Amino acid sequence: MFNLDWVNLKSKLTILVLFAAGVPLYWDTWAGMYYSWHSDNTYSHGPLIVLIYVFLLLQVEPTEKRKSTGVIIVASIALFVAGFLWLAAYLTVVQIIQASLVPILMFFALVVVYGRSIIVQLLFPTAFFFFAIPFWNVFTTVLQELTIFVNGAILDMLRIPAFIVGSLVYLPNGTFEIEAGCSGLHFFIVASALGSLYAHQNLISMKRRVLFFGISVFLSIIVNWVRVVTIVIAGYTTDMQHYLVRIDHYVFGWVVFALALIPLFIIGNKFCRQEDEIATENCREKPRLIYGFPSFRLFFLTLGLLAIAPLYARALDIVHDAQSVDQIQLQNVEGWRLNRDRVMSWQPSYKGTKDAVLAQYSTENFALDFYANLYLKQRQGAELVNQNNRLFDRREWQAAPAEIIAFSTQRRTDVEVAGVELSNESGRKMLIFSWYSIADKVFSEATELRWYELQQKLLGKVGSGIVVLRTDCDDNCDSERAVLTEFISINFDILNRTLTDTWTNDSREIEAKQ
């Protein structure tokens, strides 16, 4: 499969060195992917995908001895831009984008070194790497709903009495839940990877490649349907005492999957034999190509371009780590009592905060719970904007559509805060107003905050947080909404100083030292 003459060997070593150099340079991104692979069984195949990716890179055959200057310039610019996008994703802690840029960075790096002759050859390895990136959960809901629908149809066809509500399957002797983990997403990803790899390595006809890939994906979905239906039937016929019900059904799914690979590869072998004479030869052995000699100047240019973004990120980390801030200071509000020690049932949950406070402002007739937090250096899972952060317990409270409340203050004319009304099964209601604050700027939506936060971090400045006000409601929350809106509009600048004083003082200290 490999032609191991000296020039060929040198080109492969160049590819390996570029890949190996990228791992420590983008270590935080690799560490994030490694965590996803080992914390979620759905992506446990990730390390194997990376090994195959490297193997595919080593199959690349550069043939262009004199490289186009235009291609080198375009690829260099693209590599620099991809590095900047990675830096933006790193500073805003968007792991999916960071991981997605890893194969793209490698793609442009190799094009800079070897020219246009490898562009087409790199397309499949680059795409194949995405099977290791944990973004495939977007297919979970569709696969889950398909599984529930087909499961119900098969049970009905077999005349097994079953009543399906949502993801729950009620049987006379027990209940099954076809949860997200039963969607077959892992089978779907692995089958897609296997199907695309086999087609790329063994078939020439694009029609047969696409067909074989489609069969692989369809077979993985069928396998999961068979797995789920078999478990439900086993539970029904054994009064929920079968091994697959009581102990383990995960391994069973992979056994069924492995058996399904037999007919899949029989079909693949048939496709290979059906290729014409040239395609049949390609199924057995790829023809020898002339390898291009790697340019050391381009090689070191590529290393430099690869290193710019992560080295700048390290420099910013050093600046950020050197910054220290005061603790959050609660502000007194005229006409309202501030209770710093009140114990409240409402407890927002934000991971990784530098500091956070929870208190209450009250009058004789009204009480407002107040929460504020502060983030400095953010990391994956410990960041201001994260789906796992919560202002309320989502299991207890149901949220109405969010609203944006706009008003003016003494210093500002276009302040916007986010508002949401909540209710629970017992009939209780509450109202929450919140806004993000960074460098004396206020944002009601996370997307706007992300962009401004990125600008600040690129300049070496850190410090962002959220300010929240909450109150209980009666009936439709209209009177409470009016009081809360008036309270914020009058005292907004005072409340916002809870955070802005913290990092404004610090930034002045840093500027004085400089």
Side-chain angles (χ1 to χ4, degrees), residues 39-232:
S39 63
D40 187 348
N41 281 334
T42 303
Y43 298 101
S44 58
H45 60 277
L48 181 59
I49 294 294
V50 174
L51 288 176
I52 296 173
Y53 167 74
V54 175
F55 171 78
L56 292 170
L57 288 182
L58 294 178
Q59 288 186 324
V60 169
E61 298 174 326
T63 60
E64 190 178 17
K65 292 185 177 180
R66 299 189 64 180
K67 302 169 185 65
S68 168
T69 303
V71 172
I72 294 173
I73 293 174
V74 171
S76 298
I77 294 173
L79 180 57
F80 178 81
V81 171
F84 177 81
L85 292 175
W86 175 89
L87 177 64
Y90 174 80
L91 293 176
T92 53
V93 202
V94 184
Q95 177 65 29
I96 294 296
I97 296 179
Q98 292 179 54
S100 299
L101 285 166
V102 166
I104 295 173
L105 285 162
M106 192 66 184
F107 174 90
F108 288 120
L110 290 175
V111 173
V112 173
V113 173
Y114 287 114
R116 73 179 72 193
S117 67
I118 64 169
I119 291 178
V120 174
Q121 298 178 62
L122 286 174
L123 292 178
F124 179 77
T126 302
F128 189 79
F129 190 95
F130 281 81
F131 288 117
I133 298 175
F135 74 92
W136 294 83
N137 299 69
V138 295
F139 295 104
T140 298
T141 302
V142 174
L143 293 172
Q144 181 185 13
E145 291 178 352
L146 277 173
T147 302
I148 294 171
F149 175 79
V150 172
N151 185 79
I154 293 176
L155 293 178
D156 185 59
M157 183 177 63
L158 296 175
R159 299 189 181 280
I160 294 177
F163 182 63
I164 300 178
V165 178
S167 60
L168 297 175
V169 180
Y170 295 96
L171 300 174
N173 49 0
T175 303
F176 287 93
E177 181 178 5
I178 304 177
E179 54 188 15
C182 301
S183 64
L185 179 62
H186 201 180
F187 301 133
F188 179 82
I189 301 172
V190 172
S192 300
L194 282 174
S196 61
L197 181 63
Y198 184 92
H200 176 265
Q201 294 292 98
N202 295 284
L203 302 174
I204 289 180
S205 167
M206 184 56 67
K207 178 180 178 180
R208 288 191 176 91
R209 284 182 173 183
V210 173
L211 181 58
F212 184 81
F213 175 77
I215 293 173
S216 303
V217 173
F218 180 70
L219 198 62
S220 71
I221 297 174
I222 296 295
V223 163
N224 190 59
W225 293 347
V226 171
R227 177 180 74 101
V228 174
V229 170
T230 301
I231 294 169
V232 173

Side-chain angles (χ1 to χ4, degrees), residues 59 210 284 325 357:
Q59 288 186 324
V210 173
R284 295 172 185 156
V325 297
V357 293

